[in-house]
Every structure is written in structure tokens, then in C-alpha cells.
Amino acid sequence: MTTRLPTEVPDGGWGWVIVLAAFLMSALVFGVIRSFGVFFVPFVEYFSEVSSSVSWITSMAVAIQQFFSPIASALSNYFGARPVVMMGAFLSSLGLMLACLATSLTHLYLSIGLLSGFGWALVFTPAVASVSRYFNKRRTLAMGMSFTGVGIGSFVFSPLFQYLIDEYMWRGALLIIAGMMLNLMVCGALIRPLTLKEDLVCAASAPSGRGASCCRGAGGMIFDLLDLTLLQHWPFLTLVLSITLINTGYFVPYVHFVAHARSIGFDEYEAAFLMSVAGVMDLIGRLLSGWFSDLRRMRLVHILMLWTSLTGVSLIAIPFGRTYSALMTISVAYGFCAGALTPVVFSLLPEIVGIGRIYGALGLLQMLESVGGLLGAPISGWLRDATGNYTASFVVAGTFLLLGSLVLFGIPSALSCSCLPPARLPRMEEDEEEEEKEEERKSMAVSNGSGLEARCLPIEPSNAASINSSVA
């Protein structure tokens, strides 16, 4: 059996193939989700339902994608990212395929919201974590390039979906999109497993041996796979609260911007083009934000505060744009700022928790922020039904983002302007000290001629939890 020895973060190499795969996956997951507002009016008209009820379709999909991210993280820790992503691709396609047979909104809730949402969770979380593991110095740029797929997807899919609806009705359009989702399986096959030295540091603290595994039971295994000790880490929880507030307002334009534009007199193609422009600016924002962040002229937390605040302001401005040129200007500003903040979030996370725990941290972050994704669009839809227009909807959505930027001040040293080294968890530091002591014992064994070769076994990625027993 071929073994993979632990390595340093490559910061390139096959990582650029991972970036390409993540680019396509982000386009096919969030590019589709962001463009799903095109289906909003056809669903309202066909099912004769109020806006708030139809809004639950997209909200459920986003919330399920985020809520089940810890499951994707645990499965990736156990089986590896590749098979998890490929299974997620199949489930997301199956959900959209079943949705084209829907006879009620409940059917759409279950097929798109639940099944496709769960499939997207299995795709997105391992993909983002894989990019983080392949890069260090250029991580934010790599993240930005990966997430540009969202902008390109939004630009291409909004008019494409409108065309498909006009030609094949909404059922035929969903069936074609289901076929597109199968391309995610190819992207998942490109993810190559990578064993890092940080993985050994994290695994060293786990009880070793079969006897220990039996004593701890399934509960202990689940606790380790989900990395629930992160729930005791204050900087991580502060970031989670901020992202949850941001998430509450972040997706509202992708559900209601097209409907708002149509409600004030613009036709469906003009309204869809506004989202396409936002998608292009989203792409540009992600690239420029990734490049600027990697220059380290500002701390990542400060950059995130800046982009979050500007995104909130642009959201509040949407209902006050009554002409097409004004809406186009706001769409440009919103798309750029909303795109710029995304790679910063996923680059700040490993700085807070350490790259060795990125799977667990990303899964928990996605799960906890799902509350915001679940409630955001329905709150916006309820405000629209209560007031008769979208003014309150966008103002409240923007306010959530401004609150999220304020919460970021709770991260330790957020008020400092110096570029401090990334924060690490106490458990990580203790494990590194233990690893150093183990290295000293190995060196002494070599000098005493005690046969280190017989004691040092090859490291299997699937057996990382038994490292201590292999070296003892």
C-alpha cells in the first residue's frame, strides 16, 4: 500500500487544480442558488402562494447546506474529501430532478431545500477546506480565485435560467439544471488527498489504540470528528456570531432583487441583468480582495469589517434607487463588496483555529450560521407582504450586515493595527510541545542505537488517530 508522509503546505502545485475544481463547484452551487430568484415569480404565479412561502425554498436550501456542513466535515475526516464531494453531486442533482415533478411547495421544500441542500453541503465544505489545506501565503488569493465561480455563475445563470423558463417552462428548466449538477462529480474526482504535519499535531492528542477507541465509544469518535472543542474557543465563537448576522442579510438580494426590480416597472430580462452585473462585480471583488489581503497591508479582520460595512450600506440603498441607472450603480457596488468579503472570511478562519482543524471549524461555522441563512429571506418576504414593497426588507437586511461588522470587534486584538501572528487554540500549542518532546526522545534513541527504524511506522492517512501508539 502506498503511504503518504506528512508534508508542509504546498502553497501551489496540485493546489491550483484544486482551485479550478473549487471554482467550478462554487459556480454550480452558489451560482445556481444566487440565480434562483429567477424562479421566484413563476413559483408565486403557478402555486398561487405569498412571497414569504416561496422564499422558504431558497432559504431552506441555504440553511440545509450550512447546517449539515459538520456532517460533511466529519465524513471528509473519515473517508476523505473526494468521495464525499462525489456523493454530494449525485444528491444535489437528484433533488433538482425530483423538483421538476413538484405539485406543491412542500414538494419543492423537500427536493430542492432538503435533498439538494444536503448534497450542496457535501460538495461545498470539503472543497473549501481542500483549498485551505493546499495554500498558506497565497491562501486568500486562492480562495478568491475559487469563489470567482460564484460571480461567473451568477452572471451566466440568471439570463440562462430565464431563457430556459421561457423555452421549457420552469419544470424543464429544473431538469436541465439537474443535469448540470452532475458535473460536480468530475470536480470531486480532482481532489487529491493531502496529509499535513498539522494533522499529526491534532491527532496526537486523541486516545490511541483499539482499546481506547472501544472505551470512548461512538460518542467520543463523533465528538472528535466534529471537533466540538471549538465550541469553547471564544475567538471562533465571535466569528461565528458575526458571520451569522451577515448571513441573515447577505442572500436577500438573490431572492428579492429581481422581484423588486420587476415590481417597480422593469421587465424580467432587465431585472435578471441587474443580478448578472452584480455577479460580474462579485467576481472582480473576490479577485481584488484576495490579492490585496495577501499583501498583508491590513489585518484580515479589518478588511472583513470594511467589506461587510460597505455591503450593508449598499443593501440599504437598493429600495431608494428608482431608475434603472441607479439600480445598476447599486448592483455594481453591492456585487463588488459582497464578493470581496467572502474569501476573507474563509482565510481568517484558519488563522483563528489553525489549518489542522479547518474541516471541523468550517463545518461548525457553516452549521451555526445556517440560522441566518434560514431566516433571512423569509423575514424579507414577510416584511414585503406586510408593507406592500421591498423597502423594509432591504433596510433590515443591510442592518444585519452592519451589526455583523460591529461584532468583529470582539475578536481578540481586533483593535490592534499591527499584523499579529494567527491565533491558535491552546490544544494545538500543547500538542506541538508534546511533538517536540517526542522528537527529542527519537533523537536520543538514535544516538543510543536503539533501532528507531523498528519503532517508526509509515503514517497512513486513514490511521492518523493511532500516531501515538505507532511512535510509542
Side-chain angles (χ1 to χ4, degrees):
M1 179 182 294
T2 303
T3 61
R4 294 185 179 88
L5 296 178
T7 62
E8 299 287 348
V9 177
D11 221 22
W14 190 260
W16 294 116
V17 179
I18 305 296
V19 168
L20 174 61
F23 166 84
L24 295 174
M25 285 187 274
S26 64
L28 288 171
V29 175
F30 281 100
V32 168
I33 291 175
R34 288 186 171 196
S35 303
F36 225 74
V38 176
F39 287 88
F40 185 83
V41 174
F43 285 161
V44 169
E45 293 176 350
Y46 184 86
F47 295 106
S48 301
E49 296 283 354
V50 296
S51 300
S52 57
S53 297
V54 177
S55 298
W56 278 101
I57 300 171
T58 306
S59 292
M60 282 189 65
V62 173
I64 292 297
Q65 180 270 317
Q66 295 173 335
F67 185 80
F68 284 102
S69 288
I71 304 299
S73 298
L75 292 174
S76 298
N77 279 328
Y78 195 82
F79 295 107
R82 178 183 291 169
V84 175
V85 171
M86 296 179 74
M87 176 56 68
F90 171 76
L91 293 178
S92 60
S93 177
L94 179 62
L96 288 166
M97 197 176 301
L98 294 175
C100 72
L101 305 175
T103 57
S104 68
L105 281 185
T106 302
H107 193 169
L108 293 178
Y109 293 157
L110 295 175
S111 56
I112 299 177
L114 183 60
L115 189 56
S116 291
F118 180 66
W120 289 329
L122 298 184
V123 170
F124 181 73
T125 303
V128 174
S130 297
V131 175
S132 292
R133 290 170 61 81
Y134 267 88
F135 290 89
N136 183 18
K137 295 180 180 178
R138 292 179 285 185
R139 180 179 294 143
T140 313
L141 177 60
M143 284 290 183
M145 294 176 67
S146 301
F147 288 131
T148 54
V150 181
I152 292 179
S154 300
F155 177 75
V156 173
F157 292 155
S158 288
L160 174 62
F161 291 175
Q162 186 63 58
Y163 171 78
L164 293 176
I165 292 172
D166 291 342
E167 291 293 321
Y168 306 106
M169 306 299 290
W170 62 267
R171 295 184 188 274
L174 288 177
L175 186 61
I176 294 173
I177 297 171
M180 293 168 53
M181 285 294 147
L182 292 176
N183 289 288
L184 291 170
M185 298 187 74
V186 180
C187 299
L190 294 175
I191 299 179
R192 181 180 294 175
L194 178 67
T195 303
L196 300 175
K197 292 182 178 179
E198 288 82 353
D199 299 330
L200 311 186
V201 176
C202 291
S205 62
S208 58
R210 293 186 178 181
S213 299
C214 293
C215 292
R216 298 178 70 240
M221 179 184 294
I222 293 174
F223 190 89
D224 285 341
L225 288 175
L226 297 179
D227 208 353
L228 296 181
T229 54
L230 287 166
L231 297 178
Q232 300 174 344
H233 187 48
W234 173 249
F236 172 73
L237 292 178
T238 303
L239 179 64
V240 167
L241 176 59
S242 173
I243 301 305
T244 301
L245 291 171
I246 293 171
N247 210 39
T248 304
Y250 186 86
F251 290 99
V252 168
Y254 300 106
V255 180
H256 291 147
F257 197 5
V258 172
H260 166 68
R262 293 186 64 176
S263 70
I264 60 177
F266 301 107
D267 63 44
E268 60 268 25
Y269 283 97
E270 289 177 324
F273 187 67
L274 289 172
M275 290 309 303
S276 295
V277 171
V280 172
M281 296 310 300
D282 181 288
L283 183 155
I284 297 173
R286 291 168 191 263
L287 287 176
L288 292 182
S289 175
W291 168 77
F292 177 74
S293 298
D294 282 341
L295 295 178
R296 300 293 175 174
R297 301 291 176 82
M298 294 175 60
R299 297 188 64 201
L300 288 179
V301 65
H302 296 157
I303 297 174
L304 183 57
M305 290 177 187
L306 173 64
W307 294 130
T308 302
S309 300
L310 292 177
T311 304
V313 171
S314 62
L315 270 176
I316 294 173
I318 288 176
F320 301 101
R322 309 306 297 181
T323 64
Y324 195 73
S325 59
L327 283 179
M328 181 64 69
T329 302
I330 296 171
S331 179
V332 168
Y334 169 76
F336 183 88
C337 298
L341 72 86
T342 304
V344 182
V345 171
F346 293 105
S347 294
L348 180 60
L349 182 60
E351 283 200 358
I352 291 177
V353 303
I355 190 62
R357 307 180 75 179
I358 185 61
Y359 277 120
L362 184 58
L364 288 174
L365 171 64
Q366 292 271 293
M367 181 188 73
L368 296 174
E369 71 169 334
S370 66
V371 176
L374 179 64
L375 298 179
I379 290 175
S380 176
W382 177 78
L383 289 172
R384 191 270 175 201
D385 292 334
T387 62
N389 57 59
Y390 290 95
T391 300
S393 301
F394 288 110
V395 170
V396 170
T399 302
F400 274 115
L401 271 86
L402 295 178
L403 290 175
S405 66
L406 293 177
V407 171
L408 289 172
F409 283 103
I411 295 179
S413 303
L415 298 177
S416 172
C417 293
S418 59
C419 292
L420 300 177
R424 293 182 296 179
L425 290 174
R427 196 183 93 179
M428 292 282 291
E429 295 172 351
E430 292 172 0
D431 292 341
E432 287 180 351
E433 293 176 0
E434 184 65 27
E435 187 183 50
E436 292 175 359
K437 293 179 182 178
E438 188 64 36
E439 291 295 332
E440 293 178 1
R441 287 195 292 268
K442 291 179 185 177
S443 300
M444 293 177 63
V446 172
S447 62
N448 293 333
S450 56
L452 178 62
E453 293 81 1
R455 297 163 52 208
C456 218
L457 302 178
I459 299 170
E460 295 285 351
S462 61
N463 197 28
S466 61
I467 294 170
N468 284 347
S469 60
S470 301
V471 181

